[in-house]
Amino acid sequence: LAAALLMQYSEASLMFGLNCLSFLIAGACLLKVPDAKPDPKSTPEPTTGAATGSDKELAKSLSQQAGIVLHEAREGLRFILGQPWLWVTIAAFSLINITSSGPIRAALPMLVERGMHADAGVLGLFMSMMAAGAVLCSVLMGGIKHLRHRGLIAYGSTLIGGLALSLLGWPACQTIVIGAACLFALGFCNSAFDLAWNHSLQEMVPDTMLGRVYSVDMLGSFVFLAAGFPLVGILTDHIGFNAVFIACGSVTMLVCVVALMHPKVRGLN
């Protein structure tokens, strides 16, 4: 909200300058972090080329290391494919991340300007409400030690978030109050999924597989965002922001319903 108000009453160059300054301040804070000193007992002494063997031996060693990495990656994929709740969710959210995030990035500013005839302050209010919903959900769910019905919570909250997204596309709902409520609900629901999903990963995935599962999750969930954001922007120009909100919200809900048809997803506890 503060950023939107500054944008409204100042110039874009000042906002970019403040953004750059924030990164410089963050980098300066890292200067106070002490360097990690390696254990001299575990650090091998540098050797000459003659002592380490021939170039062929070095190439063979690198090839073996690459083979180990590929083997571990295959093991991670095999583990994920053996757990339906994992591969279904990763596949589902490779699309949901586009349909839920794309309209907020590409279509929401047009909705505020053209649909509500409002300014940057309202856009900042909407983003603040979304953050407030996420914070409230984190506070409410963060104290739950044993989260039950995780599959229903994760996909049910995402389905409700898709409904809130769709409502933003209906002209009757394009008021500041209803828009703020929809964005608050969307932030709450997104946080509910994140908490349920990360709870499940931390408690139900073995430690030896956790890093690999997270890597595949990040790759599968976010690899399509680079193409998804421009696609949503193009659709917003061609079919309008109302249709984009309704279509993306509907696709989000549809994907959730299809995913919940799998008993392993629906029964995740």
Side-chain angles (χ1 to χ4, degrees):
L1 180 58
L5 292 174
L6 284 173
M7 186 67 187
Q8 184 177 2
Y9 295 108
S10 63
E11 296 181 356
S13 58
L14 175 61
M15 297 301 299
F16 282 112
L18 292 175
N19 192 29
C20 294
L21 181 62
S22 68
F23 281 97
L24 291 175
I25 294 174
C29 293
L30 294 177
L31 297 176
K32 294 296 183 179
V33 178
D35 295 333
K37 297 182 179 180
D39 187 359
K41 295 181 180 180
S42 62
T43 304
E45 295 182 358
T47 57
T48 62
T52 58
S54 65
D55 292 340
K56 291 183 178 180
E57 292 178 348
L58 178 60
K60 183 179 179 180
S61 176
L62 292 175
S63 177
Q64 290 175 346
Q65 293 177 6
I68 292 173
V69 172
L70 291 175
H71 175 71
E72 290 183 349
R74 285 195 295 267
E75 280 190 341
L77 288 173
R78 191 178 299 115
F79 177 81
I80 291 171
L81 293 176
Q83 303 290 330
W85 67 275
L86 281 174
W87 68 259
V88 169
T89 302
I90 292 174
F93 274 81
S94 65
L95 178 59
I96 290 176
N97 281 330
I98 297 174
T99 58
S100 62
S101 301
I104 300 301
R105 300 291 188 272
L108 185 61
M110 295 183 66
L111 169 65
V112 171
E113 180 183 7
R114 301 180 186 178
M116 299 182 179
H117 305 288
D119 52 25
V122 173
L123 179 61
L125 171 65
F126 284 173
M127 302 307 294
S128 297
M129 292 302 295
M130 193 172 177
V135 170
L136 178 61
C137 179
S138 299
V139 171
L140 294 178
M141 293 183 61
I144 301 176
K145 293 183 178 179
H146 302 289
L147 191 63
R148 296 185 178 275
H149 308 294
R150 301 179 189 187
L152 295 177
I153 290 175
Y155 282 93
S157 61
T158 305
L159 191 149
I160 295 173
L163 176 61
L165 202 64
S166 295
L167 290 176
L168 291 173
W170 294 95
C173 298
Q174 291 174 357
T175 65
I176 295 178
V177 174
I178 297 178
C182 288
L183 269 298
F184 181 88
L186 184 60
F188 190 99
C189 292
N190 288 346
S191 182
F193 169 82
D194 288 338
L195 290 171
W197 176 243
N198 284 292
H199 265 255
S200 301
L201 290 179
Q202 293 290 331
E203 295 184 4
M204 302 177 68
V205 175
D207 292 341
T208 55
M209 289 290 175
L210 191 58
R212 281 169 270 188
V213 171
Y214 266 118
S215 297
V216 176
D217 177 32
M218 293 295 103
L219 179 64
S221 296
F222 297 105
V223 69
F224 297 113
L225 285 180
F229 284 163
L231 177 61
V232 174
I234 293 172
L235 288 174
T236 303
D237 285 335
H238 283 79
I239 66 176
F241 54 86
N242 288 337
V244 165
F245 276 111
I246 294 173
C248 288
S250 300
V251 171
T252 299
M253 292 187 286
L254 178 61
V255 173
C256 289
V257 171
V258 172
L260 284 172
M261 291 180 179
H262 199 296
K264 294 294 185 179
V265 174
R266 188 173 60 252
L268 183 65
N269 202 352

